[in-house]
Amino acid sequence: MEQGNIVSWAKKEGDKLNEGDLLAEIETDKATMGLETPEEGYLAKIIIPAGTKGVPIGKLVCIIVENEADVAAFKDFKDDGAPIKAAEPAAPSPPPAAAAPAPARAAPPPASAAPSPVIPSAAKGDRVYASPLAKRVAAEKGLSLQSLKSGSGLFGSIKLSDLSRASPAGAAASAGAAGAAYTDREVSNIRKVIAQRLCQSKQTIPHYYLTIDINAEEVINLRKEINTNFEKEGIKLSINDFIIKATALACHKVPEANSAWMDTFIRQYHTVDVSVAVSTESGLITPIVFDADRKGLADISTDIRSLAEKAREGKLQPNEFQGGTITVSNLGMFGIKHFSAIINPPQSCILAVGGLQKRLIPTKDGGSRAADFISVTLSCDHRTVDGAVGAQWLAAFRKLIERPQLMLL
């Protein structure tokens, strides 16, 4: 991340702040999240207003002072980019021993949050700000947030209750040539990042693709058996849970696939953190199942459900989607039989999984019967994973899916 947007301020100038209070809402390249107050004090000055976009990392966004009496000293403060010097207190005729206030720069966000970003002169555009819940409900009901312009939330953000005034999406035609049959949509931060990273991947990584068909009968039967026997415990496994577990264990068998190209060296990871592609309203995001090789199927299933829900609501924290050592992208639920995925750099491999297909296989008596197969394609970075290594990884993966009992060892 290099920049972000300030969606709203939860506090106003002069407010008392307690450590951990919600200070502002920050939109990163992947999600919208709360920025917590780094220390106790008073909010003396908001430098970057709500709605500002493109704020660079490390930019001064506000000033916090220790004493309420020092707030007035920063009423007319302008950020010229120079280091802040101690200001004289605003109170008239201060006693000689009075100390100058020590204005505090907004501390960088903690590692689990994204830094606050923006150019001071950036003007507010036509973007409409809304809560994650309002965005999700509007998408489900086909409503246009742009038709509202502003809502009843903090700094005009749109809340769920404001959607009653929204028009159907697509009702308003885009400005342009008379009668133009199109609508221009603003490119979101997440879409910009997706575009940049995919271009970087396809232009700089020498991709090659290996496809294999796998008999999924045994894994389907084992899934049904587990779900039936543990229904009262609330366990409900999916085929994708087995795929993630098999991906992690195959990386143990062929560790070269669990690596990253670092320009001057190859980094081979000792743990397997599986990134799982999830489609959201804003675009694709890859939350991570950490230590997937050490987790049981039930834990993997729980992690996936929780991460997918948070991803679609825009509530993922950076530590939940940054990193990963290998990626799984499954489009089988959309009826896709086969596809080739683009590598998620700096990872070396991504596994593309298609849907179940009925195929005829020979029987011992010379006849044939129908069986369920899945087609998977492994996209590899040829700088780190040679063709033979990729083939060995797929062989290990197929063995685990066709004999899923091996995952329990």
Side-chain angles (χ1 to χ4, degrees), residues 105-342:
R105 285 184 178 268
S112 60
S116 18
V118 189
I119 299 173
S121 61
K124 292 179 66 175
D126 295 329
R127 180 176 181 129
V128 176
Y129 293 95
S131 69
L133 178 59
K135 290 180 180 179
R136 179 166 59 84
V137 173
E140 292 173 354
K141 295 185 176 181
L143 300 176
S144 170
L145 295 176
Q146 284 73 18
S147 66
L148 294 176
K149 297 298 182 184
S150 64
S152 58
L154 189 64
F155 297 103
S157 62
I158 295 171
K159 299 166 57 179
L160 181 63
S161 58
D162 297 319
L163 295 183
S164 60
R165 300 183 286 108
S167 301
S174 171
Y182 61 85
T183 299
D184 292 334
R185 293 183 300 151
E186 182 180 5
V187 178
S188 64
N189 266 6
I190 185 172
R191 181 53 60 186
K192 288 178 182 177
V193 172
I194 289 172
Q196 292 168 357
R197 287 179 60 82
L198 292 183
C199 286
Q200 173 197 2
S201 180
K202 285 296 271 185
Q203 292 172 357
T204 64
I205 296 178
H207 285 60
Y208 71 90
Y209 310 95
L210 301 173
T211 300
I212 196 170
D213 295 330
I214 302 174
N215 189 327
E217 284 184 307
E218 290 297 323
V219 76
I220 291 173
N221 292 335
L222 180 58
R223 171 182 174 260
K224 289 180 179 178
E225 182 180 349
I226 292 175
N227 287 347
T228 299
N229 292 332
F230 292 92
E231 183 178 4
K232 293 182 179 179
E233 284 81 355
I235 294 176
K236 188 176 181 180
L237 302 179
S238 69
I239 297 297
N240 205 46
D241 299 329
F242 286 89
I243 289 172
I244 292 168
K245 180 67 174 180
T247 296
L249 294 179
C251 285
H252 264 302
K253 297 289 185 180
V254 187
E256 294 90 342
N258 193 47
S259 61
W261 176 260
M262 308 300 289
D263 290 331
T264 59
F265 60 92
I266 296 174
R267 175 170 294 161
Q268 189 167 301
Y269 298 102
H270 297 159
T271 59
V272 186
D273 302 326
V274 181
S275 302
V276 182
V278 174
S279 177
T280 72
E281 176 188 348
S282 303
L284 190 69
I285 193 169
T286 52
I288 303 167
V289 179
F290 290 96
D291 295 317
D293 52 322
R294 303 177 187 176
K295 290 182 176 177
L297 290 163
D299 289 335
I300 290 174
S301 179
T302 300
D303 284 357
I304 286 296
R305 286 199 298 269
S306 174
L307 290 167
E309 182 179 355
K310 291 172 72 174
R312 295 187 178 104
E313 293 178 353
K315 295 181 179 179
L316 282 176
Q317 295 297 312
N319 62 294
E320 294 176 310
F321 59 78
Q322 290 179 352
T325 61
I326 190 169
T327 297
V328 170
S329 180
N330 191 341
L331 293 180
M333 66 287 293
F334 298 107
I336 301 300
K337 296 180 180 179
H338 164 266
F339 71 104
S340 300
I342 300 176

Side-chain angles (χ1 to χ4, degrees), residues 393-408:
W393 188 95
L394 276 177
F397 177 83
R398 178 168 61 181
K399 184 176 181 180
L400 290 164
I401 295 296
E402 293 187 340
R403 299 174 61 190
Q405 296 85 355
L406 296 175
M407 298 188 205
L408 306 178

Side-chain angles (χ1 to χ4, degrees), residues 338-352:
H338 164 266
F339 71 104
S340 300
I342 300 176
I343 294 171
N344 182 17
Q347 296 175 13
S348 293
C349 296
I350 180 171
L351 184 70

